[in-house]
Amino acid sequence: MKIVLWGFPLVVIAAQLLSVEYALTLGAIFFAFGLTERFRVLLLFGLTIFGYLLWFMTAQYISATISNEPLAIVLNRFGLIGYIALFATWARIQPGTRYLQAGSMKETLKAPLIWWGAEERVWRFVLITCALWIVPAFLFGNFFAFMPYALVFAIINPILEGLIWRGFLLGRMVDYIGEKQGLIVSSIAFGLYHLSLGFSIWVCLLFAIGGFYMGGIAIKSKGFLAPTIIHFSVNLALISFGIIF
């Protein structure tokens, strides 16, 4: 099972750096490695790969046909809805851990590394993290230059990406390989899938670190709300400094 799960971020890399055809081939190889597992698990893994590649091709089409860059980026995000539908089907076929509920801001985690550090309440960790992103963005950035696209993106993107990476996928990984290892796998995939949005590999690695924090907070708070708020603040900052638009 572990080799099948690690196949997902590798398929993401193949689609980003090579082509959809390479990704399909790699996905088939990892699918074959899992032939001794239950059929249902293999079907779900196949749906995951198919969903990712479907989104990837849709995003590429939108980027190639719409000349208004901010509008293309926003529409690209709405394309994730089809991907979410596949994960929702997965959850119906095989119920398991999901972080779709709001969760509790009163839970505790360790700062600064979620499992290592001083004990801290989730709400305070979220408040400090958001301040570290938003205050510099509004003091030195230019968020309002891209209105209304910026506001729509900053709201929609954290919700849709959060549903995929924290709401559904992270829960699957936690069920199969445990909290910490599942978080690492999903965080790597989360970071690398941003390559298709034009970010460099080094920026994507930073996004993977962000995915680690948001996923860890989802696990500790047992829900979706806390990491989505942090994701919203990060998107506002990236827009303000012109990194996204």
Side-chain angles (χ1 to χ4, degrees):
M1 176 56 66
K2 290 184 179 181
I3 194 169
V4 173
L5 290 174
W6 277 105
F8 179 64
L10 291 179
V11 168
V12 172
I13 297 171
Q16 303 286 349
L17 299 181
L18 300 172
S19 69
V20 172
E21 290 78 13
Y22 279 105
L24 285 170
T25 301
L26 188 60
I29 292 172
F30 280 96
F31 187 85
F33 271 112
L35 285 177
T36 57
E37 302 289 342
R38 292 180 302 170
F39 172 76
R40 181 176 292 182
V41 173
L42 293 175
L43 174 63
L44 297 177
F45 177 74
L47 283 175
T48 303
I49 298 299
F50 172 77
Y52 173 77
L53 295 176
L54 179 64
W55 167 82
F56 181 77
M57 289 184 288
T58 302
Q60 295 299 302
Y61 176 79
I62 290 173
S63 298
T65 56
I66 297 179
S67 58
N68 184 321
E69 184 178 358
L71 178 59
I73 292 173
V74 171
L75 292 177
N76 180 293
R77 299 297 86 195
F78 280 104
L80 295 176
I81 293 174
Y83 197 19
I84 292 170
L86 286 169
F87 276 107
T89 302
W90 180 341
R92 292 277 296 180
I93 296 173
Q94 187 180 41
T97 300
R98 292 181 294 175
Y99 299 103
L100 298 176
Q101 65 277 10
S104 174
M105 291 283 193
K106 296 180 179 179
E107 297 290 340
T108 60
L109 49 73
K110 298 294 182 68
L113 296 175
I114 310 298
W115 280 274
W116 300 277
E119 190 168 284
E120 183 63 272
R121 293 285 186 182
V122 168
W123 70 265
R124 192 156 38 229
F125 188 89
V126 170
L127 183 63
I128 293 171
T129 302
C130 289
L132 291 173
W133 283 97
I134 291 177
V135 172
F138 277 90
L139 287 178
F140 307 109
N142 194 19
F143 168 76
F144 295 101
F146 299 101
M147 292 287 286
Y149 299 120
L151 187 59
V152 174
F153 182 92
I155 294 173
I156 295 298
N157 188 60
I159 293 174
L160 296 183
E161 284 193 345
L163 283 172
I164 294 171
W165 297 100
R166 263 71 67 184
F168 289 111
L169 183 59
L170 177 61
R172 297 293 95 183
M173 299 298 182
V174 168
D175 285 342
Y176 292 147
I177 55 178
E179 287 184 350
K180 296 186 178 75
Q181 192 170 352
L183 176 59
I184 291 171
V185 172
S186 62
S187 298
I188 292 172
F190 173 74
L192 293 176
Y193 106 102
H194 287 85
L195 283 168
S196 66
L197 301 180
F199 296 104
S200 70
I201 184 64
W202 303 110
V203 173
C204 290
L205 291 177
L206 292 177
F207 285 160
I209 295 173
F212 174 85
Y213 274 97
M214 288 185 287
I217 293 169
I219 291 172
K220 289 297 185 179
S221 67
K222 302 178 177 64
F224 181 75
L225 180 60
T228 301
I229 293 172
I230 290 178
H231 201 169
F232 174 79
S233 70
V234 172
N235 281 173
L236 283 181
L238 294 178
I239 293 170
S240 296
F241 289 117
I243 296 175
I244 293 180
F245 292 153

